[in-house]
Amino acid sequence: MKRHLAELIDQAIATLKAQGELPADAAVEVQIERTRDKAHGDFAANTAMLLARPAKRAPRQIAEQLVEALPQSEYVERIEIAGPGFINFFVTAAAAFDAVKAALEAGDNYGRSNAGNGERVMVEFVSANPTGPLHVGHGRGAAFGGALCSLLDAAGYSIHREYYVNDAGRQMDILAASVWLRYLEALGEAVRFPDNGYKGGYVRDIASDWQKQVGERDRAAADVVMANLPADASQGGDKEAHIDALVERAKEVLGERYLELHRFGTEAILRDIREDLAEFGVHYDEWFSERSLTDKGLVDKALARLQELGHVYERDGALWFRSTDFGDEKDRVVRRDNGQITYFASDIAYHLDKFERGYDSAIDIWGADHHGYVPRVKAALTAFGRDADKLEVRLVQFAILYKGGERMQMSTRSGEFVTLRELRDEVGNDAARFFYVMRKPEQHLDFDLDLAKSQSSDNPVYYIQYAHARIASVFRQLADKGLSHDRERGLANLTRLTEEHEQALVEQIGRYPELIENAARAREPHQLAHYLRELANAFHTYYNAHTFLVDDEALRDARLVLITATQQVLRNGLAILGVSAPETM
């Protein structure tokens, strides 16, 4: 309906331009909004105010001319001008019921549009270092990213889902060293495990698999491994220096076999991450390897371009990027004095590559602890002459898990964390995905395990799914009573749905397509989550107040058509959020 009213106003503007009443170059984007107070109509447009400056006339006078020039429409009952020049539309009852017909006709495609005009958007999300299983914090980024991609797809954007695999760098070396030490322990070597190693049980599992594959090939005596290492933190030393020395020792002892072990550990964890996300209903178009940036020379190419542009300089043997020239708080090292590139150098090359692959825009979904990273990445894009505004960064706060009223701790390094898989086993995929997207990602989220498992109206995902299942039960009751449903007769009698609860449900169904467009534009799946709860509430209220299977066949069919459309919208919205729509509960 909003699109139809916008088209009417566009035609009126064209008429006034042709008559010389408006400047030929006057250009405005017609905005139609639902009114908050039905006394002011169903929809309102502020077009007259937007045209006031180019037309150099009072908004109310322009509004009067627009209303006079508006084409006739069977959907518009009357039009009023309010305040300084708002145009208020009162639509016919038939217009509202068109949404019900549209939902039934479009089915699974109801709510989909081309609002995004096929804009190519790369969405990178999760991208957790493959140093351990995904935990419940990663789960929030996965649920938000997955829902956002589906939402953008429904709104007509062309989406590419990508996971950036950090398979290079120091953390992966620490993982490899951790696996090797657990492997040596399994062989009976009395090696001391470092304070800063990865301590989770999964490291022992990988080490066990490595032992099965290579036997004692990579064995080394404990005194050889531990000889002359700097003291660890618990020994009164520096944990970072200690772990770095252990990594170097592993490389020295294993030689070329170190890379084999490194790759084995990385692939084992990455395989687990892939399976975990797939089981969670999150899929990717590409898993992009950080290591490939170096292998293909893309990092060197990016740094060479910055050098040609005069945006890097040398100091203390290191290469620095002049990020302060582009709004960052300080310059950043891109190549250390030992010749090693930094994480930031890889990120520069990666983000440049995103746009050189032809994407119109990119959305990065990062943990909230990366907030300081945003200015430097945007600075790099600007240095290359790219529009940094084409990169959106959404920061996701950690989800804090509560069970029995007590907060649960998470730490990948210590191994004391709740994995995403454990959460899914506890509450199920549906509750996990829905609870994760109920709030803006930038807001803190307290994830209540007990609430997520409860079968009550307080549990939003249960409440919404129950509405879908309840509608299915109505049709089972219909069959049990030996009655039939004539959809065409129901569609022909929709105007008989005059009850307040019916009108509220009709309005909610009509809101769905614009809700999808608005939520996609704002990058806010939580809008859809809230809408679905409102729609479910409207249905449950209707169900409790009225009988659907009445003797009056025409009225019965009209009510069944209405709840069928409601069920379709519930199913479509839940699918975008990655939540199932059960027929029974």
Side-chain angles (χ1 to χ4, degrees):
M1 181 52 58
K2 290 174 71 173
R3 189 172 289 113
H4 173 68
L5 297 177
E7 289 172 355
L8 294 179
I9 292 181
D10 278 333
Q11 292 178 47
I13 291 173
T15 298
L16 294 180
K17 285 182 178 180
Q19 295 173 351
E21 297 294 335
L22 287 175
D25 60 352
V28 297
E29 180 182 352
V30 177
Q31 299 172 351
I32 307 291
E33 301 296 338
R34 288 183 180 270
T35 59
R36 294 182 180 180
D37 185 350
K38 289 299 181 182
H40 298 151
D42 299 290
F43 299 91
N46 65 345
T47 313
M49 276 82 89
L50 299 177
L51 286 168
R53 178 171 292 181
K56 298 179 180 178
R57 293 207 308 279
R60 193 171 182 91
Q61 182 183 359
I62 297 173
E64 291 170 353
Q65 290 181 305
L66 284 171
V67 170
E68 184 67 27
L70 281 171
Q72 291 294 313
S73 170
E74 61 179 311
Y75 298 124
V76 178
E77 187 173 274
R78 72 178 193 276
I79 303 170
E80 293 180 355
I81 298 172
F86 286 102
I87 301 174
N88 293 341
F89 293 89
F90 295 78
V91 300
T92 63
F97 289 126
D98 264 13
V100 176
K101 297 176 182 177
L104 294 179
E105 290 173 1
D108 292 345
N109 289 320
Y110 182 63
R112 299 186 67 86
S113 73
N114 62 354
N117 295 315
E119 178 185 333
R120 297 189 67 208
V121 184
M122 175 200 285
V123 184
E124 180 222 327
F125 60 110
V126 183
S127 298
N129 288 346
T131 55
L134 297 177
H135 56 59
V136 296
H138 298 132
R140 189 177 187 190
F144 172 70
L148 178 59
C149 288
S150 296
L151 184 61
L152 292 170
D153 178 70
Y157 296 81
S158 177
I159 304 302
H160 177 87
R161 300 160 173 85
E162 189 153 297
Y163 189 114
Y164 181 55
V165 181
N166 299 102
D167 53 2
R170 183 169 178 267
Q171 296 307 317
M172 302 312 301
D173 282 329
I174 294 175
L175 173 69
S178 299
V179 172
W180 186 50
L181 292 174
R182 293 305 191 195
Y183 160 82
L184 294 176
E185 284 181 353
L187 293 177
E189 294 294 338
V191 291
R192 177 188 176 279
F193 200 82
D195 298 341
N196 214 23
Y198 285 99
K199 300 181 176 68
Y202 63 92
V203 178
R204 294 183 186 275
D205 294 338
I206 297 171
S208 176
D209 290 340
W210 183 245
Q211 182 185 357
K212 292 174 185 176
Q213 179 165 313
V214 303
E216 295 194 13
R217 187 197 71 178
D218 295 336
R219 184 169 193 159
D223 57 352
V224 173
V225 176
M226 310 307 293
N228 302 317
L229 293 177
D232 208 343
S234 60
Q235 300 171 319
D238 185 327
K239 65 180 181 180
E240 303 298 347
H242 181 79
I243 194 68
D244 286 343
L246 260 175
V247 168
E248 291 307 311
R249 183 61 49 81
K251 291 178 179 179
E252 292 168 10
V253 172
L254 296 175
E256 292 183 359
R257 301 195 307 276
Y258 173 79
L259 291 178
E260 188 182 343
L261 171 63
H262 185 289
R263 186 163 47 251
F264 184 86
T266 301
E267 290 177 353
I269 292 178
L270 193 56
R271 187 164 52 249
D272 180 74
I273 290 174
R274 286 176 184 263
E275 292 173 358
D276 202 3
L277 288 171
E279 291 168 2
F280 196 39
V282 175
H283 303 277
Y284 291 88
D285 300 301
E286 185 168 355
W287 294 72
F288 190 98
S289 164
E290 177 189 356
R291 189 177 293 276
S292 72
L293 293 169
T294 303
D295 293 344
K296 295 177 182 178
L298 296 180
V299 178
D300 289 338
K301 178 183 174 183
L303 296 184
R305 283 179 62 180
L306 287 176
Q307 199 147 16
E308 291 170 8
L309 294 166
H311 298 318
V312 295
Y313 62 92
E314 289 189 17
R315 190 178 74 199
D316 301 328
L319 191 65
W320 296 70
F321 168 50
R322 298 182 191 276
S323 53
T324 51
D325 287 352
F326 305 98
D328 196 9
E329 62 182 5
K330 63 181 181 179
D331 292 347
R332 308 290 176 176
V333 177
V334 290
R335 183 181 288 127
R336 298 187 181 92
D337 55 6
N338 62 4
Q340 291 185 340
I341 62 169
T342 61
Y343 284 118
F344 179 46
S346 295
D347 282 336
I348 290 175
Y350 178 48
H351 283 84
L352 179 61
D353 181 69
K354 286 185 179 185
F355 290 99
E356 291 192 338
R357 279 188 269 163
Y359 293 103
D360 300 311
S361 60
I363 300 174
D364 286 353
I365 298 173
W366 294 344
D369 55 338
H370 287 69
H371 67 93
Y373 217 73
V374 179
R376 71 188 76 168
V377 174
K378 285 182 173 276
L381 288 173
T382 304
F384 286 119
R386 297 280 178 176
D387 182 358
D389 289 338
K390 294 295 185 181
L391 171 66
E392 300 176 47
V393 180
R394 298 303 301 268
L395 299 174
V396 180
Q397 290 285 349
F398 236 52
I400 301 173
L401 191 64
Y402 286 85
K403 186 174 184 178
E406 295 185 3
R407 178 173 175 170
M408 304 180 73
Q409 299 300 317
M410 291 170 289
S411 170
T412 308
R413 189 67 58 84
S414 70
E416 298 173 359
F417 60 91
V418 179
T419 66
L420 174 59
R421 186 173 278 110
E422 288 170 336
L423 174 68
R424 296 192 294 103
D425 288 343
E426 181 85 8
V427 304
N429 276 359
D430 288 342
R433 293 226 25 184
F434 193 91
F435 270 60
Y436 274 135
V437 299
M438 284 196 303
R439 287 173 171 261
K440 287 184 177 182
E442 296 85 358
Q443 294 178 327
H444 287 284
L445 175 66
D446 291 341
F447 195 117
D448 188 334
L449 268 174
D450 300 319
L451 177 61
K453 291 191 295 182
S454 69
Q455 296 185 358
S456 71
S457 59
D458 292 330
N459 179 351
V461 67
Y462 177 84
Y463 189 64
I464 295 165
Q465 289 179 317
Y466 183 44
H468 185 275
R470 212 173 195 183
I471 294 169
S473 74
V474 171
F475 283 90
R476 288 194 295 272
Q477 294 171 35
L478 182 77
D480 290 343
K481 292 184 176 184
L483 300 174
S484 61
H485 170 46
D486 187 328
R487 177 174 290 190
E488 292 306 314
R489 182 167 56 199
L491 289 170
N493 285 277
L494 286 176
T495 52
R496 294 193 60 185
L497 301 179
T498 58
E499 299 288 349
E500 181 180 346
H501 297 114
E502 293 167 336
Q503 293 296 309
L505 206 50
V506 169
E507 182 178 357
Q508 287 284 359
I509 293 170
R511 281 185 56 217
Y512 181 69
E514 63 197 67
L515 182 281
I516 294 298
E517 290 187 12
N518 292 339
R521 193 176 299 113
R523 317 308 198 219
E524 294 182 344
H526 74 275
Q527 289 190 24
L528 176 56
H530 293 169
Y531 165 83
L532 290 173
R533 191 168 187 175
E534 291 173 4
L535 178 62
N537 182 65
F539 168 75
H540 287 306
T541 304
Y542 180 36
Y543 182 95
N544 293 331
H546 298 279
T547 301
F548 299 152
L549 304 183
V550 293
D551 293 334
D552 185 330
E553 292 182 343
L555 180 59
R556 180 176 71 222
D557 285 333
R559 287 180 171 175
L560 292 177
V561 161
L562 176 59
I563 65 172
T564 300
T566 302
Q567 187 183 44
Q568 182 69 62
V569 176
L570 287 168
R571 185 160 57 247
N572 291 1
L574 287 171
I576 288 175
L577 298 182
V579 178
S580 70
E583 296 285 318
T584 59
M585 292 184 72

